[in-house]
Amino acid sequence: MSAFVLTPGFADPVADAQATFRAVLDAMARPGRLHRAGEALQPPSPLDRATAAVLLTLADNDTPLWLDPACTAASDWLAFHCGTPIVNDPAYAAFAVALAIPDLAALPAGSHEVPESSATLLLQVRALGRGTAWRLAGPGLREPALLSIDGLPHDFARIWRDNHALFPRGIDLVLCAGEQLAALPRSVTVEEV
Amino acid sequence: MPDALPQDQPNARRRWMSILARSDADSIARGLQAAGELPGYQRLRGPEPGLVMVRGRAGGGGAPFNLGEMTVTRCTVRTDAGLVGHAYIAGRDERRAELAALADALLQDPARHAALQDTLVLPLHSMLEAQRADIAAKAAATRVQFFAMRNMRT
């Protein structure tokens, strides 16, 4: 037996998953707004509580998951609680978890007929609410919103411009740090302040 | 964390899990108590009821078809020593699933295994065997002797 210790998932699977679903839905609808999720979870390192909560809520046996090689320690926990198949090739992923932004072109961006078949990337960053400030604009934002993110690469503006240009195809991004999350849907544009 | 029993005996674990899954909650609780002090444990998942699709093959070899759904309650616990036990039982008795999962975890502990075999697994096994024999005896009483009919035909 490995030293890996299995910890529980949601204490109340239905209510906690609904609360997290609502948080992700609202984060997608209003890009840049911070939400909290998974406060009570004790996920295995290196997963953050918010990342674990989103996966417990959205990932299941129909959603292949690609894990950053740095996250493989969490694969047993995810296999037990989500029953999700873990794929080695990001091209087959419905969800991806990463500690550093991977090559977005390697993830499925959907097609013009079924743009919703694209992948959603859960990216763990050092902190949300401090660090580099980004100005977000797009659907869901009457006025441009500001979001401070600590942990994005310097060329994120270029990476995101390439992704936004694919619209209606493209990757949706959920940023997680600790128990906070925010989302950048593919429809939003970002600009460093 | 104590070492779990060698995993080269999957059939042994399969056997005790099967016996636990078919036994009632009170009998499992009695057997566990008889083996001594129970350690603390934490629920990792459930107990939660759900549906599973039972599939069959006509004659055991035909194309698989969906026979129907059945209610199954599953539970997974981890003892304070770190042993993980699982249980899947037919029906909705959550206490029974939790006790069966706890018993599965404790049976993997070499220090407790022998005592639990004596107080839990073997008594449950003989109880199930007795039930089976009882049903078989009732069925046997209604058996039709086709021997006489075969004699008439020849």
Side-chain angles (χ1 to χ4, degrees), chain A residues 132-177:
Chain A
T132 317
W134 299 84
R135 184 180 288 115
L136 316 181
L141 298 169
R142 196 185 300 273
E143 303 289 332
L146 284 179
L147 175 63
S148 299
I149 307 164
D150 183 5
L152 284 184
H154 298 296
D155 57 347
F156 179 71
R158 181 192 57 75
I159 294 172
W160 194 255
R161 197 165 50 241
D162 292 348
N163 183 52
H164 178 71
L166 295 174
F167 191 85
R169 300 165 65 240
I171 307 296
D172 297 315
L173 185 60
V174 178
L175 299 160
C176 301

Side-chain angles (χ1 to χ4, degrees), chain A residues 16-28 35 57:
Chain A
D16 292 346
Q18 284 177 346
T20 307
F21 186 82
R22 180 74 210 184
V24 177
L25 195 65
D26 205 52
M28 281 283 175
H35 288 271
T57 305

Side-chain angles (χ1 to χ4, degrees), chain A residues 1-10 13 42 79-81, chain B residues 1-2 4 42-45 48 76 78 82-84 86 108:
Chain A
M1 185 181 280
S2 67
F4 168 73
V5 175
L6 205 53
T7 55
F10 284 136
Q42 302 167 309
F80 175 73
H81 283 295
Chain B
M1 188 186 297
Q42 185 182 28
R43 293 173 178 181
L44 291 182
R45 179 170 63 195
E48 56 188 11
T76 301
R78 193 188 70 211
L83 292 165
V84 175
H86 304 279
Q108 295 170 66

